[in-house]
Amino acid sequence: VKGLVFGIGLDVGGTFTKIAAVSREGRLLALSQVPTEPGLGPKAFVSRAVDAVRALESGMSGKARSVGIGAAGEVDSRLGSLRFSPNMRPFKGFPLRDALSRALGRPAAMDNDANMAAWGAFVVELKRKVRNMAAITMGTGIGGGLVVEGRLFAGSTGSAGEFGHMRIVPGGESCSCGSRGCLEAYAGRRAIIETAERLLASGRRSLLRPLSGRLDPSDICEAADKGDAVGREVWSRVGNALGMGISNLILLLNPDVVVIAGGVARAGRHFLKPLREYLRWEPFRRPFIHARVRVARTDNLGALGAGLYSLEVSSRR
Amino acid sequence: VKGLVFGIGLDVGGTFTKIAAVSREGRLLALSQVPTEPGLGPKAFVSRAVDAVRALESGMSGKARSVGIGAAGEVDSRLGSLRFSPNMRPFKGFPLRDALSRALGRPAAMDNDANMAAWGAFVVELKRKVRNMAAITMGTGIGGGLVVEGRLFAGSTGSAGEFGHMRIVPGGESCSCGSRGCLEAYAGRRAIIETAERLLASGRRSLLRPLSGRLDPSDICEAADKGDAVGREVWSRVGNALGMGISNLILLLNPDVVVIAGGVARAGRHFLKPLREYLRWEPFRRPFIHARVRVARTDNLGALGAGLYSLEVSSRR
């Protein structure tokens, strides 16, 4: 389409960077992927990303109006750089946003990848039709982002929506963050696999037994699809843990919608029922009756959201 | 002062209603109190409140620009009425805001009492110098309110900041709401008294023993002042429970400040240290380093906040 306004979004992870061209309404126009290779340094990454963006645009009529970056780690969105990222240490402090903006000659915005996924869910999945929303991203870790009164709310230092480390069980399972009892220690990727392995170790019959030692959440989802009791039990526990975290989230924020996104959320058909069952028994009724909990139906929300957010920010200026 | 702009705030509780005249900067200009007497119905209350407001104004030069109402219960701030209030059932559905506005000939605003106290803390205690703040009110129950990007955030149905019923211990102590393990079941007035009674029942020596059966949090605070081990233990447990709730709050909202207000907060000198100690060990550092936790130093924040909020809302129109 000639003259179509679109943005480019980069979802920068420790291994791969996804690049999406997205229309203002949230339609995915084109998608590509490059390796991030943090070890080669941020300048090499910028030139690789710029080439990929240009390649993506060459197949389209027109250039993106703006570029958005969602990065895995603690982002200083004011400076447009990473403060801390366990998987992209060489990027720390590098002015990624401004380097990309200069190289491409376009305005750029940068935020945490989970915040960008939340914005993506808000625009693409909810068509901006709600005021208040929380997105929970389930991947290796559990993250999230908030939309408050129709705007992305990143908190005072950019880390609002850190759902993964909310404590749901005092003194509970140990978490990768060094603490105990975090939601991530019950519903993160590693926790999901460990729960399955423990059930297998207890001697239960399961389709998963031959896969022990190299299980992945998608295997556990497939087993549950086939009615496997261990698979079902794992997702029931995940749903219960999510219920505990989301219950506190609803009491605190009283949102319209909670969207669960990320690769692991594909198992929603197995964990949504126990999750909703948990919330159904909350005595403090109204905010729970009001809030809908759903699983995102769109892939690549991080890259889509970053592109959309860059359009939002550049149009506000 | 001639021509001074001020607002009137009413903090409507089940027993008493406090009425404050407050300057735009948050200075308390005058204060009075009337019985609420919900049993006599909302119309009788309105005429009593109107008389009290006029009496308060008669001692001042000029009339209030606007009137704000903070009410204990679930408030529909759009309609300006109570949806539900266990202690003021006859007020349910009555258009309290519009009735007061009409009788006084001034614009009026109405919200939940804890939200109004949060706004009071934001203006009076923090002089609007932060962007994001949570207030926790410790009284009979535990409530709270949020200020997000300098604005009161009440959530989608008006109940954001329901800190008291955040679950801190799954399957823990039973709570007045019908659930278990809520923060209120560990740090609400009744829980504080029960903790002390249980410690006394275990046979420990304590200055509180003669007061058993008719303990009040202020007695437990005084005992702790005198070094009483039972008194100190109670507040240490309260601090720990608050730490668990506030930790989740900080991870979710990443605020600049958490203010603890309400009558029970006067024991802050005993519970702030264990509370801060709890937060100090959170591995997810930055939001915890950033957020300051403090106890409110101002009384009547609910009434002050209601008056201030009415000025805010009427000036925005």
Side-chain angles (χ1 to χ4, degrees):
Chain A
V1 188
K2 191 78 182 169
L4 177 74
V5 173
F6 68 98
I8 294 276
L10 288 82
D11 187 358
V12 186
T15 312
F16 287 106
T17 293
K18 283 184 181 172
I19 306 177
V22 57
S23 77
R24 216 166 356 192
E25 296 71 37
R27 199 152 45 86
L28 177 67
L29 306 171
L31 184 70
S32 72
Q33 184 170 294
V34 294
T36 305
E37 303 200 69
L40 301 179
K43 285 184 185 171
F45 171 75
V46 169
S47 80
R48 209 172 324 115
V50 166
D51 289 347
V53 168
R54 293 214 169 109
L56 204 71
E57 288 185 318
S58 72
M60 302 176 67
S61 60
K63 283 171 66 183
R65 176 170 292 187
S66 58
V67 180
I69 306 151
E74 210 182 290
V75 171
D76 187 322
S77 62
R78 217 168 28 86
L79 296 179
S81 63
L82 272 164
R83 269 197 214 112
F84 174 70
S85 177
N87 301 317
M88 289 183 278
R89 290 184 196 277
F91 284 35
K92 184 181 165 176
F94 179 80
L96 191 56
R97 180 194 60 201
D98 293 349
L100 261 169
S101 171
R102 217 172 305 123
L104 287 164
R106 251 77 59 87
M110 178 169 171
D111 214 309
N112 170 275
D113 56 349
N115 286 348
M116 293 295 87
W119 189 255
F122 178 63
V123 178
V124 179
E125 297 255 322
L126 298 164
K127 312 284 178 206
R128 300 178 186 250
K129 278 178 188 155
V130 300
R131 282 161 51 209
N132 302 303
M133 187 205 77
I136 300 183
T137 54
M138 295 179 76
T140 307
I142 293 183
L146 305 175
V147 173
V148 171
E149 303 296 1
R151 288 193 166 223
L152 186 72
F153 176 64
S156 290
T157 63
S159 70
E162 269 301 341
F163 303 125
H165 303 291
M166 286 179 68
R167 197 149 303 129
I168 59 168
V169 182
E173 300 285 340
S174 65
C175 181
S176 63
C177 75
S179 186
R180 285 184 167 277
C182 302
L183 175 56
E184 190 170 306
Y186 294 84
R189 188 176 177 280
R190 194 178 60 114
I192 291 168
I193 293 168
E194 278 178 9
T195 303
E197 291 286 3
R198 266 187 241 169
L199 289 170
L200 292 178
S202 75
R204 292 191 33 191
R205 276 176 69 170
S206 170
L207 297 168
L208 291 167
R209 189 159 301 287
L211 298 169
S212 175
R214 51 192 174 85
L215 277 173
D216 187 85
S218 62
D219 302 319
I220 304 168
C221 186
E222 275 175 42
D225 286 343
K226 292 171 190 152
D228 184 71
V230 166
R232 298 206 156 192
E233 169 84 18
V234 170
W235 295 115
S236 159
R237 293 191 190 183
V238 168
N240 202 57
L242 285 170
M244 291 162 84
I246 290 174
S247 164
N248 284 347
L249 160 64
I250 289 174
L251 285 165
L252 236 71
L253 290 175
N254 185 199
D256 300 299
V257 183
V258 178
V259 177
I260 305 172
V264 178
R266 287 188 199 115
R269 59 183 172 276
H270 300 299
F271 67 68
L272 269 180
K273 205 178 150 194
L275 195 178
R276 289 187 177 132
E277 196 67 9
Y278 185 97
L279 298 179
R280 208 154 71 89
W281 296 106
E282 288 296 333
F284 199 91
R285 305 291 306 139
R286 183 168 286 260
F288 289 95
I289 293 167
H290 180 80
R292 280 174 297 139
V293 179
R294 52 184 272 185
V295 162
R297 297 184 199 95
T298 318
D299 288 328
N300 308 307
L301 280 176
L304 288 170
L308 288 162
Y309 193 65
S310 73
L311 289 171
E312 179 82 8
V313 170
S314 67
S315 76
R316 252 189 239 150
R317 277 194 199 112
Chain B
V1 189
K2 190 78 182 166
L4 177 73
V5 173
F6 69 97
I8 295 275
L10 286 84
D11 187 357
V12 186
T15 312
F16 288 107
T17 293
K18 284 185 180 169
I19 307 178
V22 57
S23 77
R24 215 166 356 191
E25 296 71 37
R27 199 151 46 86
L28 177 68
L29 306 171
L31 185 69
S32 72
Q33 185 170 294
V34 294
T36 305
E37 303 199 71
L40 301 180
K43 284 183 186 172
F45 172 74
V46 168
S47 80
R48 210 173 322 114
V50 165
D51 290 346
V53 168
R54 293 215 170 107
L56 203 72
E57 288 185 319
S58 72
M60 301 177 67
S61 60
K63 284 171 65 184
R65 176 167 293 186
S66 57
V67 180
I69 306 151
E74 210 182 291
V75 172
D76 188 321
S77 62
R78 218 166 28 85
L79 297 178
S81 63
L82 272 164
R83 267 197 215 113
F84 174 70
S85 174
N87 300 317
M88 290 183 278
R89 288 183 197 278
F91 285 34
K92 184 181 165 176
F94 179 79
L96 192 56
R97 181 195 60 201
D98 292 350
L100 261 170
S101 172
R102 218 173 304 122
L104 288 164
R106 254 75 60 85
M110 178 170 171
D111 214 309
N112 170 274
D113 57 350
N115 286 348
M116 293 295 86
W119 188 255
F122 179 63
V123 178
V124 179
E125 297 256 321
L126 298 165
K127 312 283 176 208
R128 300 178 188 249
K129 278 179 187 154
V130 300
R131 283 162 48 210
N132 301 302
M133 188 204 77
I136 300 183
T137 55
M138 293 180 76
T140 306
I142 293 184
L146 305 175
V147 173
V148 170
E149 302 295 1
R151 288 193 165 220
L152 186 72
F153 176 64
S156 290
T157 64
S159 71
E162 270 301 340
F163 303 127
H165 303 290
M166 285 180 68
R167 196 149 304 130
I168 60 168
V169 182
E173 299 285 342
S174 65
C175 182
S176 64
C177 75
S179 186
R180 286 185 166 275
C182 303
L183 175 56
E184 191 170 303
Y186 293 85
R189 188 175 177 278
R190 192 177 63 111
I192 291 169
I193 293 168
E194 278 179 9
T195 304
E197 292 286 3
R198 264 187 243 169
L199 290 170
L200 292 177
S202 76
R204 287 182 48 181
R205 278 176 68 170
S206 170
L207 298 167
L208 291 168
R209 190 159 299 286
L211 298 169
S212 176
R214 50 192 174 87
L215 277 172
D216 188 85
S218 63
D219 302 319
I220 303 168
C221 185
E222 274 175 42
D225 285 343
K226 292 170 188 153
D228 184 70
V230 166
R232 299 207 155 191
E233 169 84 18
V234 171
W235 295 117
S236 157
R237 291 190 192 184
V238 168
N240 202 57
L242 286 170
M244 291 161 84
I246 291 175
S247 164
N248 283 349
L249 161 63
I250 289 174
L251 285 165
L252 236 69
L253 289 176
N254 185 199
D256 300 299
V257 183
V258 178
V259 177
I260 305 172
V264 179
R266 288 189 199 115
R269 57 184 173 278
H270 299 300
F271 67 67
L272 270 180
K273 205 177 150 192
L275 196 177
R276 288 187 177 132
E277 195 68 9
Y278 185 97
L279 298 179
R280 209 154 71 88
W281 296 106
E282 288 295 334
F284 200 90
R285 304 293 306 140
R286 180 169 287 259
F288 289 95
I289 292 167
H290 180 78
R292 280 174 296 137
V293 179
R294 51 183 272 184
V295 163
R297 296 183 198 96
T298 318
D299 288 329
N300 308 307
L301 280 176
L304 288 170
L308 288 162
Y309 193 64
S310 73
L311 290 171
E312 179 82 8
V313 170
S314 67
S315 77
R316 250 188 239 151
R317 277 193 199 115

